Amino acid sequence: MTTIENAIDHQMTVALRIRPFNLMETKNRAQCITHQLGPQTLLLKDPGEDPYDVLRSSRTRETTFTFNHVFDQAATQENVYDSTMKNIVDDILAGYNAAIFAYGPTGTGKTYTMMGKPREPGLMYLTLKDLFKTIEETGRRDHFSVSLSYAEIYNETIRDLLRPNSGSLALREDPYGNPKIVGITALSPSTPEEAMTMLKTGNKRRSETTTAANKTSSRSHAILQITVKQTGSDGVSTGRLYMVDLAGSERASQTTNSGKTMKEEGYINRSLLALRNCIMALRERPGSHINYRDSKLTWLLKGALSGKSRMVMIAHISPADSAFEDSRSTMTYGSKAKFIKTRVERNSVPHGTAERGRGGAVLQNDSHPPEANHMTRAPSAKDMQFIMRRTMAPLNNLPRMVPLAKNLQSAREISATARASANSYTYLELARRWL
């Protein structure tokens, strides 16, 4: 990792975690097809191969994969955290963005890795614990603010997990292109234990069901956003960490789903495909256009997938021979993703200037701090046209507004225009920012 001024060159970290055999696999006397060759290398054997078939020996599907880290069944939560997340905490406090994805087929232990159990806390708790500990060690606790939001995406519908009965929430982009969930709850815990109490309550509200592949299958993607703001002598820095517990990919033949669960399976697989396409585009076409709006998941994580955020993926697999196809697909994808390179930029705003919210989705209701909502100049015609293009302005207002923008002289005239077009989110947002 190379640092140049306020930018960091970073290569995506990809770890592989192998869960133990579950009760069903043990009952069916499943064979182990994963063999760890080293701390970064794993051999995946094809259970369908006949070692005595000489004619097909050149068509073997036995494959060796290399990752940044490989964790076998004996690895603890602390082992996984120390190797993948521990060194990211300081970057978040310094104002950089990061994202971690728990990825893999259904029933492979993704939620266990992220949330954990009472005696085996997961990465969410361990990260929050280190975050608060590091802040306390600075001796400047009053210079930091920590807030978190927790949402799920179920069948392309966004729900607030920290507020029951919140209904479906809208996903929009602010005038600067940052995705924002409108009306989501943002809480400010004072300890990691308090934060985990909130998350455990929220996790109970996640959409779950029983399938043939997993008795407690999560039917939604859960996204925790931790935002840390630090006020210093040089300004305000904002670091955001996205911790994403993805729903598991599924095969219809494996789950025997029908009706509602089959519909959920379709939404899950489509959104995971969109995520894979975005991540692969960073590897194969860096700097090119990426269609983030293929799903709510990729749109919300636009900042994390844009090449300006540190990225960690923990791929999960089963060691059983019955899961060979899923395991091979997951490992092939992960081994390609580890070559992705990003250039992470620091989110720092000098005192007295506006914060334009670079580099990420904003789950909180207020995407800009109150002190940054006032600009010292009236916007130009170019500013006006940019904002109208980036938001959903009514088409019949555009011919009238564009010529008018060329003659605007003051922020108060913009405010008046906004109030006159109160049906448009564009102009209300203008009034709030430039009054």
Side-chain angles (χ1 to χ4, degrees):
M1 186 171 64
T2 305
T3 303
I4 302 177
E5 295 180 353
N6 284 335
I8 297 177
D9 291 329
H10 169 68
Q11 189 160 329
M12 184 172 180
T13 300
V14 179
L16 179 72
R17 189 172 196 184
I18 310 164
R19 66 155 171 80
F21 285 109
N22 60 28
L23 293 176
M24 183 63 69
E25 291 166 344
T26 302
K27 181 180 179 181
N28 293 336
R29 297 183 180 180
Q31 298 298 311
C32 180
I33 58 172
T34 58
H35 302 274
Q36 188 169 350
L37 304 179
Q40 297 178 316
T41 310
L42 187 84
L43 173 67
L44 183 70
K45 290 191 172 183
D46 182 359
E49 287 186 350
D50 182 357
Y52 301 103
D53 190 345
V54 180
L55 296 178
R56 295 182 180 272
S57 59
S58 61
R59 300 183 182 180
T60 179
R61 294 192 295 174
E62 182 178 291
T63 313
T64 300
F65 296 91
T66 301
F67 303 91
N68 297 103
H69 309 280
V70 174
F71 303 105
D72 61 13
Q73 294 91 329
T76 65
Q77 300 280 54
E78 288 76 11
N79 295 150
V80 178
Y81 173 76
D82 290 342
S83 299
T84 59
M85 289 296 297
K86 192 174 183 66
N87 62 346
I88 291 181
V89 170
D90 289 339
D91 289 343
I92 302 301
L93 293 173
Y96 295 95
N97 292 346
I100 176 171
F101 302 90
Y103 177 83
T106 185
T108 51
K110 298 180 297 297
T111 301
Y112 168 75
T113 294
M114 299 300 279
M115 286 292 296
K117 296 181 178 179
R119 294 187 178 181
E120 301 170 358
L123 300 191
M124 289 182 177
Y125 172 78
L126 295 174
T127 301
L128 287 164
K129 180 182 177 182
D130 259 9
L131 197 65
F132 281 101
K133 179 182 177 182
T134 305
I135 290 175
E136 291 296 334
E137 289 175 349
T138 65
R140 300 186 303 138
R141 180 67 180 86
D142 57 330
H143 289 236
F144 291 87
S145 67
V146 179
S147 62
L148 57 87
S149 297
Y150 197 30
E152 74 165 357
I153 301 177
Y154 170 75
N155 289 1
E156 288 299 287
T157 299
I158 301 176
R159 298 174 178 174
D160 188 348
L161 292 175
L162 298 181
R163 181 160 54 99
N165 305 319
S166 60
S168 175
L169 301 180
L171 178 61
R172 297 174 179 170
E173 286 190 355
D174 67 16
Y176 308 110
N178 298 316
K180 178 171 91 170
I181 298 179
V182 180
I184 196 166
T185 305
L187 302 178
S188 299
S190 55
T191 65
E193 290 75 19
E194 182 184 349
M196 282 309 299
T197 299
M198 299 173 183
L199 297 182
K200 288 176 181 177
T201 302
N203 214 47
K204 292 177 181 178
R205 301 186 182 120
R206 279 189 73 179
S207 302
E208 292 185 350
T209 193
T210 299
T211 69
N214 187 4
K215 290 184 178 180
T216 56
S217 175
S218 298
R219 314 307 290 169
S220 66
H221 309 297
I223 304 171
L224 169 67
Q225 178 180 304
I226 304 171
T227 303
V228 180
K229 292 188 179 182
Q230 177 183 184
T231 304
S233 57
D234 58 340
V236 179
S237 64
T238 304
R240 295 187 180 95
L241 173 62
Y242 308 91
M243 306 192 76
V244 187
D245 179 10
L246 296 167
S249 57
E250 297 179 342
R251 296 176 183 269
S253 58
Q254 179 186 17
T255 59
T256 64
N257 288 338
S258 62
K260 178 184 177 182
T261 52
M262 179 170 284
K263 178 182 177 181
E264 294 169 342
E265 177 185 317
Y267 277 110
I268 290 170
N269 290 338
R270 279 199 296 271
S271 61
L272 289 175
L273 176 61
L275 177 65
R276 291 178 65 153
N277 290 341
C278 286
I279 291 179
M280 285 296 100
L282 285 177
R283 176 179 182 267
E284 298 167 2
R285 306 189 307 275
S288 63
H289 171 73
I290 299 175
N291 187 7
Y292 297 104
R293 297 202 182 193
D294 278 349
S295 75
K296 293 281 183 69
L297 176 66
T298 52
W299 188 9
L300 179 59
L301 296 175
K302 175 182 175 182
L305 299 172
S306 63
K308 296 181 180 180
S309 172
R310 289 195 62 173
M311 297 174 66
V312 177
M313 176 189 293
I314 303 179
H316 296 71
I317 64 170
S318 162
D321 54 352
S322 58
F324 171 75
E325 293 294 345
D326 284 330
S327 297
R328 186 178 62 160
S329 175
T330 300
M331 294 170 68
T332 301
Y333 172 51
S335 63
K336 292 179 180 179
K338 70 185 178 69
F339 293 105
I340 293 174
K341 295 182 179 180
T342 59
R343 188 169 180 80
V344 190
E345 299 178 0
R346 185 167 182 257
N347 306 310
S348 180
V349 181
H351 291 299
T353 60
E355 180 185 10
R356 291 206 170 202
R358 177 179 57 191
V362 180
L363 269 66
Q364 283 82 355
N365 235 342
D366 184 11
S367 60
H368 302 271
E371 66 273 14
N373 284 341
H374 301 273
M375 297 192 70
T376 57
R377 64 173 179 84
S380 64
K382 185 177 179 180
D383 291 328
M384 287 286 295
Q385 294 177 31
F386 170 78
I387 291 171
M388 284 187 283
R389 285 197 305 269
R390 295 308 299 261
T391 53
M392 301 178 66
L395 292 178
N396 60 345
N397 279 346
L398 288 177
R400 177 173 62 85
M401 290 300 299
V402 173
L404 180 62
K406 298 178 181 178
N407 299 320
L408 292 176
Q409 299 297 324
S410 69
R412 292 191 179 279
E413 290 178 347
I414 295 175
S415 174
T417 303
R419 294 190 186 96
S421 301
N423 62 319
S424 171
Y425 169 78
T426 300
Y427 311 123
L428 291 176
E429 191 71 12
L430 273 173
R432 186 173 75 84
R433 298 194 185 287
W434 274 299
L435 180 59

